[in-house]
Amino acid sequence: MTARKAAADKTAKEQPRRKGRTVGDNTPKETPKEQKAKVAAIVWADGTDEEIAADLAETAPDWENWTEREKRAAVVLMREFWGHPVAPTLRVTKDDTGAVRISPGGSNATLHILRQSKTFATNSQDLSNVYLGNLSDYFDKAGGPGTTSTNMSAALAFVTGGRAQDTVQSALLTQMAATHDAAMRSLAMIGKAEWVEQHSTFGNVASKLLNLYARQAETLAKLQRGAEQTVRHVYVDARTQTAINCPPPQSEKVIQSHEQYEGGAFGPSVLGYDPQGNGLPVSSDQGPEPLQAARRKGRCTEGE
């Protein structure tokens, strides 16, 4: 052992071991006090900006160390937080036989029923229970943890965010919640696949589920957008037989004329137009010829 290597080993032994860090992680380990301080403070946002900031100053940990920009952003985001629809929560319990029992997650059962009715766009408790039962059956048979309070409340929040306008839309949103979960499960299984066949199988299933979810989202958008009718005006020139697409004017009232004109919709043909390409007739210097007397029906032109 050389003298340089011995000196390096002695220096390394004298250095204290670093604690609270992993390989490649330069972030120091947080103390239990620092971890406890990370508590989100949610306050009501129905007052002025100054009132919201005052409530945050009383409840948010370490508010005095926030920058002015962070404080202003917290006030704006707090208003947006309460602008989202409030989804009802669920509590799932199981008895000794494994049967699932679903009950309201909060203490206010009346408010829970009202929010659930808004979620499924119906006042029928039986229909709401059927939709919840469909979600519970899916999670119970999909593997993993089964039906839990977390995944049921998350699915209910998904349906709430869709803002269903009727029971058809709420049924579609219930299907979309299950489709999204199944697609994410299939994507997760791709990373766990050890064989090429398994990787291909889960990849195909995930692709089909994601395409299905996209079609469901498109259908929901059409249902919420309502029926649309696109009117196009197509005129055909009688002379050239050319179709001209003329969109209607962008105004509140569209006036359509159904009167037919000689020579097409653009009016009569130009005087002297010759389909063969000949020029206009030239008048002679002999003067106009006298016209014949018009014949009247039922009468003779001579002897009157």
Side-chain angles (χ1 to χ4, degrees):
M1 180 180 296
T2 62
R4 181 179 298 180
K5 182 175 179 57
D9 293 342
K10 182 178 180 181
T11 303
K13 292 180 180 178
E14 293 176 354
Q15 294 291 336
R17 295 179 60 87
R18 296 181 179 181
K19 298 181 180 180
R21 296 187 182 183
T22 58
V23 178
D25 184 12
N26 296 326
T27 304
K29 185 177 180 180
E30 295 178 348
T31 62
K33 183 178 180 180
E34 293 174 343
Q35 293 178 353
K36 185 178 180 180
K38 289 187 176 181
V39 178
I42 305 299
V43 299
W44 295 108
D46 52 356
T48 62
D49 293 348
E50 292 75 12
E51 292 174 347
I52 298 174
D55 293 339
L56 285 172
E58 296 178 359
T59 56
D62 203 20
W63 174 261
E64 62 277 2
N65 295 331
W66 289 30
T67 63
E68 293 298 327
R69 184 176 183 179
E70 291 176 339
K71 293 179 180 180
R72 291 193 301 267
V75 173
V76 174
L77 293 175
M78 192 65 67
R79 292 188 183 278
E80 295 182 0
F81 174 83
W82 289 109
H84 297 295
V86 181
T89 58
L90 299 173
R91 183 164 58 92
V92 176
T93 57
K94 296 182 180 180
D95 55 15
D96 298 337
T97 61
V100 176
R101 178 180 176 85
I102 301 176
S103 58
S107 58
N108 194 332
T110 301
L111 189 59
H112 172 84
I113 292 298
L114 294 176
R115 289 175 176 172
Q116 184 173 284
S117 174
K118 183 177 179 61
T119 297
F120 293 116
T122 180
N123 56 4
S124 174
Q125 186 62 32
D126 295 333
L127 184 59
S128 299
N129 291 337
V130 169
Y131 288 167
L132 293 177
N134 293 335
L135 291 172
S136 177
D137 292 340
Y138 163 74
F139 287 118
D140 187 54
K141 297 177 175 59
T147 306
T148 62
S149 302
T150 301
N151 54 30
M152 287 294 296
S153 297
L156 200 58
F158 178 91
V159 180
T160 303
R163 300 178 184 270
Q165 302 171 0
D166 50 41
T167 54
V168 175
Q169 297 180 18
S170 61
L172 181 59
L173 284 166
T174 304
Q175 299 171 15
M176 291 175 63
T179 303
H180 171 72
D181 183 83
M184 298 304 295
R185 290 175 184 267
S186 299
L187 291 174
M189 293 302 297
I190 294 177
K192 296 181 179 180
E194 298 180 358
W195 306 96
V196 178
E197 293 80 4
Q198 295 177 345
H199 191 279
S200 177
T201 300
F202 288 121
N204 292 334
V205 172
S207 178
K208 292 180 179 179
L209 288 172
L210 292 174
N211 290 332
L212 174 60
Y213 181 85
R215 293 196 300 269
Q216 289 174 332
E218 183 179 359
T219 302
L220 178 64
K222 290 181 179 180
L223 291 174
Q224 293 183 345
R225 188 167 53 242
E228 290 185 349
Q229 183 178 5
T230 304
V231 179
R232 288 184 176 274
H233 298 257
V234 179
Y235 302 99
V236 179
D237 191 349
R239 295 169 294 179
T240 61
Q241 299 297 319
T242 303
I244 304 175
N245 186 9
C246 300
Q250 300 296 330
S251 60
E252 297 181 357
K253 182 182 296 184
V254 178
I255 302 177
Q256 299 180 0
S257 177
H258 300 281
E259 184 176 357
Q260 300 296 327
Y261 298 95
E262 181 183 0
F266 293 98
S269 303
V270 179
L271 181 62
Y273 175 79
D274 192 343
Q276 302 299 327
N278 300 324
L280 293 175
V282 180
S283 59
S284 63
D285 54 355
Q286 299 178 359
E289 297 180 359
L291 298 176
Q292 297 181 358
R295 294 180 178 270
R296 299 180 179 179
K297 185 176 180 182
R299 294 185 180 181
C300 297
T301 56
E302 297 180 356
E304 293 182 353

